[in-house]
Amino acid sequence: MADLSGLKERVREIRNEILSSSGALESSRAAYEKRKEFLDSKKGKIGQLMKEMREVPAEQRAEYGQMVNELKQWAAQRFEEIDRSMKEKELAIRCRAEAIDVTEPAVKALPGRLHPVTQVREELIDVFASMGFEVYEGREIETEYYNFTALNTPQDHPARDMQDTFYLSPEFLLRTQTSAGQIHVMETKRPPIKILSPGRVFRSDDDATHSPMFHQMEGLVVDRHITLGDLKGMLDTFVKKMYGEDAVTRLRPSYFPFTEPSVEVDVSCFACGGKGCALCKGTGWIEVLGAGIVNRRVLENCGIDPEEYSGLAFGIGLERIAMLKYGIGNIKLLFESDLQVLNQIGDQE
Ligand code: DAH
């Protein structure tokens, strides 16, 4: 038979053990584990005490049973309190960690949008497509023949010096102008021809307004009775759609080997309406493109009879249009892929 005073001592020890160990608990999970250590129905230390009952003399069993039961109730209550206070503490920590300051400015989701040069390209395609032009994508690697010779610029022609060329071999080069596409089109298609050819071009040229790679858009119309009047009418329509109803064009004589006559086309300044300002350098006009009537030699080179057909052509520099439109002084800003810059210069719509 067990000695009741020894068992009483054991009950006291367990009580002290619970008191001393529960103070150090740091989480509801730890409290749960600790509770199991004492109150688990099978292996808990208090349950073990109950099992000692068999060893207690019959007349003392009631007393012992009551003692253990009191301990059990006390422990259950204590662990319940610990659990509640741990959960409160944990909730407070979580609330602090997940707190949302509704007065903070929201993080703005920036939608992607098109590069300014792409915007200009699409705008031009829209304008000319509405006049019946079809898009023809040329090739960036050209032969010397398509880029120069067929465009009435043979080897020893001084106009070749107008464009510093990247040669890949004596025969192949990176096209310096989208005009090269004119020849491909006229070789394969019979008039009427009405094409627009946008693309990248390359020149060994590098300063604030020139980049070794830039974009052009070529236009070519070949049909019977095409005249400079058609060119002027078409360009007037173009500038009105692009810059507003009040915009007008002015043609100045110029020189390109593949057109005769050749013109530089100015548009009335879209910043000041022609009065004269910083953008147009006080002249009221802004140069936007080169154009002309297709040189009969170019038609002949493509097997088109210049007695029967005539054509008009124009070439627009897209970066130049974008720089004018967005007031950019340095072409490099368009190519540095700096979003802070690009976000400022694109359309804000
Ligand atoms: N290819 C010329 C250049 O790169 C631009 C140009 C001028 C194209 C007159 C044309 C044109 O079609 O008729 O400077």
Side-chain angles (χ1 to χ4, degrees), residues 57-206:
E59 67 280 12
Q60 293 181 318
R61 276 187 193 161
E63 189 190 344
Y64 180 67
Q66 194 186 349
M67 230 166 65
V68 176
N69 263 333
E70 274 171 18
L71 175 67
K72 194 173 166 185
Q73 275 168 18
W74 173 82
Q77 199 184 337
R78 172 140 190 102
F79 279 113
E80 208 169 294
E81 279 162 17
I82 293 171
D83 181 64
R84 199 179 319 117
S85 90
M86 286 295 159
K87 282 189 173 148
E88 268 169 22
K89 221 162 76 184
E90 283 163 2
L91 182 67
I93 291 171
R94 205 171 135 201
C95 286
R96 232 176 295 130
E98 294 178 8
I100 294 170
D101 180 354
V102 290
T103 63
E104 282 231 334
V107 180
K108 223 168 141 189
L110 290 173
R113 62 195 162 79
L114 298 175
H115 188 280
V117 173
T118 310
Q119 288 180 31
V120 166
R121 177 193 144 113
E122 302 218 327
E123 212 171 320
L124 290 184
I125 291 178
D126 274 357
V127 169
F128 284 103
S130 74
M131 290 189 245
F133 282 76
E134 263 174 71
V135 172
Y136 164 81
E137 299 261 0
R139 49 202 88 176
E140 290 177 1
I141 293 178
E142 272 296 358
T143 63
E144 200 248 285
Y145 175 79
Y146 285 96
N147 195 77
F148 289 126
T149 311
L151 286 163
N152 195 34
T153 323
Q155 192 87 60
D156 50 356
H157 198 291
R160 283 216 185 183
D161 300 339
M162 286 161 73
Q163 301 177 357
D164 284 325
T165 310
F166 289 114
Y167 278 91
L168 303 172
S169 72
E171 188 189 357
F172 290 100
L173 48 80
L174 295 179
R175 70 173 169 196
T176 60
Q177 48 189 351
T178 45
S179 308
Q182 287 186 24
I183 306 300
H184 289 288
V185 171
M186 287 191 281
E187 275 182 352
T188 52
K189 216 169 139 38
R190 294 295 92 185
I193 291 171
K194 207 168 184 184
I195 59 105
L196 197 61
S197 187
R200 291 197 287 188
V201 298
F202 306 85
R203 290 182 200 176
S204 179
D205 211 350
D206 203 359

